[in-house]
Amino acid sequence: ELRRRWETTQTRFVDEPRRSVEEADQLVSEVLRILADTYSSERAALEQEWGSGEEASTEALRLILQRYRAFFNRLLTS
């Protein structure tokens, strides 16, 4: 959906450059908000796993680090 909206915005530039740039700004803001919300949710879930006050095992921490790495890589490819 976001890619489709971006393509529409980009196509519109020829006829309506100002509107196209305004829509691009809105889309980028929306994507940043989505990423921030996703990060907050992911972080809360991860912190719940390792922040329960109990000593986490090395294996549990390894799995959490893998999830952080996966999420980090998703952010970089977004």
Side-chain angles (χ1 to χ4, degrees), residues 43-78:
R43 183 175 183 198
L46 290 170
E47 284 181 343
Q48 187 174 13
E49 287 183 31
W50 61 269
S52 62
E54 297 177 18
E55 187 65 30
S57 69
T58 301
E59 178 63 13
L61 292 172
R62 184 184 70 78
L63 294 173
I64 291 168
L65 184 60
Q66 284 180 342
R67 288 179 62 192
Y68 267 120
R69 181 183 63 205
F71 184 66
F72 180 77
N73 287 330
R74 284 196 318 259
L75 287 173
L76 292 180
T77 59
S78 297

Side-chain angles (χ1 to χ4, degrees), residues 4-68:
R4 184 195 60 74
R5 288 173 53 198
W6 179 262
E7 290 170 7
T8 300
T9 297
Q10 192 170 332
T11 302
R12 180 176 287 127
F13 182 82
V14 173
D15 296 324
E16 300 177 76
R18 179 174 295 277
R19 182 176 174 197
S20 178
V21 169
E22 290 169 352
E23 289 176 0
D25 179 64
Q26 291 172 356
L27 274 169
V28 168
S29 293
E30 186 175 341
V31 168
L32 289 172
R33 184 181 42 76
I34 290 168
L35 287 173
D37 291 347
T38 301
Y39 173 72
S40 291
S41 296
E42 186 74 13
R43 183 175 183 198
L46 290 170
E47 284 181 343
Q48 187 174 13
E49 287 183 31
W50 61 269
S52 62
E54 297 177 18
E55 187 65 30
S57 69
T58 301
E59 178 63 13
L61 292 172
R62 184 184 70 78
L63 294 173
I64 291 168
L65 184 60
Q66 284 180 342
R67 288 179 62 192
Y68 267 120

